[in-house]
Amino acid sequence: MHIYSDYEVYRQNGGALDQSSYLILAKKAAYILDHETMGRARDAPACMAEALADCECALIDALAAGHFAADGVQSFNNDGYSETRAAAKESRAALRSLLAQYLTVPVNLLGVAGHAFV
């Protein structure tokens, strides 16, 4: 397991979680990065190190906010009961959009055989 950021980088990126929460979500975010890049993140060139760290930090905050949960509750209103659910398809699209912001330049870590599947 390779975590791409550290707590100091996370805090510099505006992260507000405490260190123990950061560590738990950083591990989950790293698994997501490794999965979504089909392992290319681990072997990425040095020029992508900062982008990977920044992406991981963004993922940590998104995970902490409950984003990317398939069929998860997006919003909830207790006064009169109301909730909005995110469909798995929408959640997947939001995740891919976040990853594309960080992982396509200068090296496309989301591409297969030179073609991005963002």
mmCIF file of all heavy atoms in Angstrom, residues 5-19 22 57 60-61:
data_model
loop_
_atom_site.group_PDB
_atom_site.id
_atom_site.type_symbol
_atom_site.label_atom_id
_atom_site.label_comp_id
_atom_site.label_asym_id
_atom_site.label_seq_id
_atom_site.Cartn_x
_atom_site.Cartn_y
_atom_site.Cartn_z
ATOM 1 N N SER A 5 0.082 11.109 -0.323
ATOM 2 C CA SER A 5 0.253 12.391 0.361
ATOM 3 C C SER A 5 0.692 12.115 1.795
ATOM 4 O O SER A 5 0.831 10.966 2.196
ATOM 5 C CB SER A 5 -1.061 13.172 0.360
ATOM 6 O OG SER A 5 -2.052 12.482 1.098
ATOM 7 N N ASP A 6 0.912 13.163 2.542
ATOM 8 C CA ASP A 6 1.115 13.029 3.982
ATOM 9 C C ASP A 6 0.242 14.068 4.665
ATOM 10 O O ASP A 6 -0.379 14.907 4.005
ATOM 11 C CB ASP A 6 2.588 13.149 4.381
ATOM 12 C CG ASP A 6 3.221 14.473 4.001
ATOM 13 O OD1 ASP A 6 2.525 15.508 4.028
ATOM 14 O OD2 ASP A 6 4.414 14.491 3.687
ATOM 15 N N TYR A 7 0.170 13.995 5.974
ATOM 16 C CA TYR A 7 -0.756 14.858 6.703
ATOM 17 C C TYR A 7 -0.432 16.331 6.490
ATOM 18 O O TYR A 7 -1.333 17.159 6.367
ATOM 19 C CB TYR A 7 -0.743 14.504 8.190
ATOM 20 C CG TYR A 7 -1.814 15.228 8.974
ATOM 21 C CD1 TYR A 7 -3.167 14.983 8.724
ATOM 22 C CD2 TYR A 7 -1.484 16.152 9.947
ATOM 23 C CE1 TYR A 7 -4.162 15.647 9.429
ATOM 24 C CE2 TYR A 7 -2.479 16.818 10.665
ATOM 25 C CZ TYR A 7 -3.809 16.559 10.393
ATOM 26 O OH TYR A 7 -4.791 17.218 11.099
ATOM 27 N N GLU A 8 0.834 16.676 6.416
ATOM 28 C CA GLU A 8 1.231 18.074 6.203
ATOM 29 C C GLU A 8 0.741 18.576 4.846
ATOM 30 O O GLU A 8 0.211 19.683 4.729
ATOM 31 C CB GLU A 8 2.751 18.229 6.321
ATOM 32 C CG GLU A 8 3.234 19.647 6.193
ATOM 33 C CD GLU A 8 2.684 20.574 7.278
ATOM 34 O OE1 GLU A 8 2.444 20.117 8.409
ATOM 35 O OE2 GLU A 8 2.484 21.767 6.969
ATOM 36 N N VAL A 9 0.906 17.776 3.803
ATOM 37 C CA VAL A 9 0.419 18.148 2.463
ATOM 38 C C VAL A 9 -1.097 18.290 2.497
ATOM 39 O O VAL A 9 -1.654 19.237 1.932
ATOM 40 C CB VAL A 9 0.855 17.102 1.408
ATOM 41 C CG1 VAL A 9 0.141 17.317 0.084
ATOM 42 C CG2 VAL A 9 2.361 17.141 1.222
ATOM 43 N N TYR A 10 -1.754 17.368 3.175
ATOM 44 C CA TYR A 10 -3.209 17.431 3.297
ATOM 45 C C TYR A 10 -3.639 18.740 3.955
ATOM 46 O O TYR A 10 -4.542 19.416 3.472
ATOM 47 C CB TYR A 10 -3.711 16.225 4.099
ATOM 48 C CG TYR A 10 -5.175 16.310 4.448
ATOM 49 C CD1 TYR A 10 -6.152 16.139 3.478
ATOM 50 C CD2 TYR A 10 -5.574 16.578 5.759
ATOM 51 C CE1 TYR A 10 -7.501 16.237 3.795
ATOM 52 C CE2 TYR A 10 -6.912 16.677 6.084
ATOM 53 C CZ TYR A 10 -7.870 16.504 5.100
ATOM 54 O OH TYR A 10 -9.203 16.608 5.424
ATOM 55 N N ARG A 11 -2.993 19.122 5.037
ATOM 56 C CA ARG A 11 -3.323 20.374 5.728
ATOM 57 C C ARG A 11 -3.033 21.583 4.834
ATOM 58 O O ARG A 11 -3.798 22.542 4.803
ATOM 59 C CB ARG A 11 -2.554 20.492 7.047
ATOM 60 C CG ARG A 11 -2.880 19.415 8.071
ATOM 61 C CD ARG A 11 -4.232 19.550 8.654
ATOM 62 N NE ARG A 11 -4.244 20.760 9.468
ATOM 63 C CZ ARG A 11 -5.305 21.277 10.012
ATOM 64 N NH1 ARG A 11 -6.467 20.709 9.855
ATOM 65 N NH2 ARG A 11 -5.251 22.376 10.732
ATOM 66 N N GLN A 12 -1.918 21.544 4.089
ATOM 67 C CA GLN A 12 -1.581 22.642 3.174
ATOM 68 C C GLN A 12 -2.605 22.779 2.055
ATOM 69 O O GLN A 12 -2.796 23.868 1.514
ATOM 70 C CB GLN A 12 -0.183 22.448 2.584
ATOM 71 C CG GLN A 12 0.925 22.640 3.583
ATOM 72 C CD GLN A 12 2.286 22.235 3.035
ATOM 73 O OE1 GLN A 12 2.408 21.767 1.904
ATOM 74 N NE2 GLN A 12 3.308 22.394 3.852
ATOM 75 N N ASN A 13 -3.259 21.692 1.711
ATOM 76 C CA ASN A 13 -4.303 21.706 0.684
ATOM 77 C C ASN A 13 -5.659 22.101 1.258
ATOM 78 O O ASN A 13 -6.678 21.995 0.573
ATOM 79 C CB ASN A 13 -4.410 20.336 0.005
ATOM 80 C CG ASN A 13 -3.408 20.175 -1.111
ATOM 81 O OD1 ASN A 13 -3.189 21.097 -1.889
ATOM 82 N ND2 ASN A 13 -2.796 19.016 -1.194
ATOM 83 N N GLY A 14 -5.686 22.519 2.507
ATOM 84 C CA GLY A 14 -6.931 22.981 3.112
ATOM 85 C C GLY A 14 -7.699 21.929 3.874
ATOM 86 O O GLY A 14 -8.830 22.171 4.306
ATOM 87 N N GLY A 15 -7.105 20.751 4.056
ATOM 88 C CA GLY A 15 -7.781 19.673 4.774
ATOM 89 C C GLY A 15 -8.017 20.016 6.232
ATOM 90 O O GLY A 15 -7.167 20.621 6.878
ATOM 91 N N ALA A 16 -9.171 19.610 6.743
ATOM 92 C CA ALA A 16 -9.541 19.958 8.113
ATOM 93 C C ALA A 16 -9.660 18.748 9.040
ATOM 94 O O ALA A 16 -9.920 18.918 10.222
ATOM 95 C CB ALA A 16 -10.869 20.714 8.101
ATOM 96 N N LEU A 17 -9.465 17.549 8.525
ATOM 97 C CA LEU A 17 -9.596 16.360 9.360
ATOM 98 C C LEU A 17 -8.436 16.247 10.335
ATOM 99 O O LEU A 17 -7.333 16.724 10.061
ATOM 100 C CB LEU A 17 -9.631 15.096 8.490
ATOM 101 C CG LEU A 17 -10.794 14.932 7.533
ATOM 102 C CD1 LEU A 17 -10.588 13.693 6.676
ATOM 103 C CD2 LEU A 17 -12.106 14.840 8.293
ATOM 104 N N ASP A 18 -8.677 15.549 11.439
ATOM 105 C CA ASP A 18 -7.573 15.259 12.348
ATOM 106 C C ASP A 18 -6.709 14.161 11.725
ATOM 107 O O ASP A 18 -7.107 13.511 10.762
ATOM 108 C CB ASP A 18 -8.086 14.843 13.732
ATOM 109 C CG ASP A 18 -8.938 13.584 13.675
ATOM 110 O OD1 ASP A 18 -8.405 12.501 13.352
ATOM 111 O OD2 ASP A 18 -10.151 13.690 13.929
ATOM 112 N N GLN A 19 -5.525 13.968 12.289
ATOM 113 C CA GLN A 19 -4.556 13.067 11.666
ATOM 114 C C GLN A 19 -5.034 11.613 11.606
ATOM 115 O O GLN A 19 -4.816 10.929 10.616
ATOM 116 C CB GLN A 19 -3.205 13.132 12.382
ATOM 117 C CG GLN A 19 -2.114 12.427 11.616
ATOM 118 C CD GLN A 19 -0.725 12.788 12.102
ATOM 119 O OE1 GLN A 19 -0.560 13.414 13.132
ATOM 120 N NE2 GLN A 19 0.269 12.381 11.350
ATOM 121 N N TYR A 22 -7.534 11.395 8.830
ATOM 122 C CA TYR A 22 -6.795 11.523 7.577
ATOM 123 C C TYR A 22 -6.174 10.177 7.182
ATOM 124 O O TYR A 22 -6.297 9.748 6.037
ATOM 125 C CB TYR A 22 -5.692 12.588 7.694
ATOM 126 C CG TYR A 22 -4.599 12.402 6.680
ATOM 127 C CD1 TYR A 22 -4.755 12.842 5.376
ATOM 128 C CD2 TYR A 22 -3.420 11.734 7.015
ATOM 129 C CE1 TYR A 22 -3.771 12.626 4.427
ATOM 130 C CE2 TYR A 22 -2.429 11.520 6.070
ATOM 131 C CZ TYR A 22 -2.608 11.962 4.781
ATOM 132 O OH TYR A 22 -1.636 11.735 3.847
ATOM 133 N N CYS A 57 -5.628 14.089 -1.673
ATOM 134 C CA CYS A 57 -6.194 15.028 -0.695
ATOM 135 C C CYS A 57 -7.632 15.391 -1.051
ATOM 136 O O CYS A 57 -8.501 15.447 -0.176
ATOM 137 C CB CYS A 57 -5.332 16.289 -0.603
ATOM 138 S SG CYS A 57 -3.703 15.992 0.128
ATOM 139 N N ILE A 60 -9.797 12.439 -0.218
ATOM 140 C CA ILE A 60 -9.996 12.313 1.227
ATOM 141 C C ILE A 60 -11.144 13.206 1.672
ATOM 142 O O ILE A 60 -12.043 12.766 2.396
ATOM 143 C CB ILE A 60 -8.698 12.645 1.989
ATOM 144 C CG1 ILE A 60 -7.662 11.551 1.752
ATOM 145 C CG2 ILE A 60 -8.956 12.847 3.480
ATOM 146 C CD1 ILE A 60 -6.248 11.925 2.168
ATOM 147 N N ASP A 61 -11.117 14.456 1.249
ATOM 148 C CA ASP A 61 -12.191 15.378 1.635
ATOM 149 C C ASP A 61 -13.541 14.943 1.053
ATOM 150 O O ASP A 61 -14.569 15.047 1.712
ATOM 151 C CB ASP A 61 -11.856 16.807 1.218
ATOM 152 C CG ASP A 61 -10.818 17.441 2.127
ATOM 153 O OD1 ASP A 61 -10.656 16.981 3.278
ATOM 154 O OD2 ASP A 61 -10.166 18.398 1.693
#
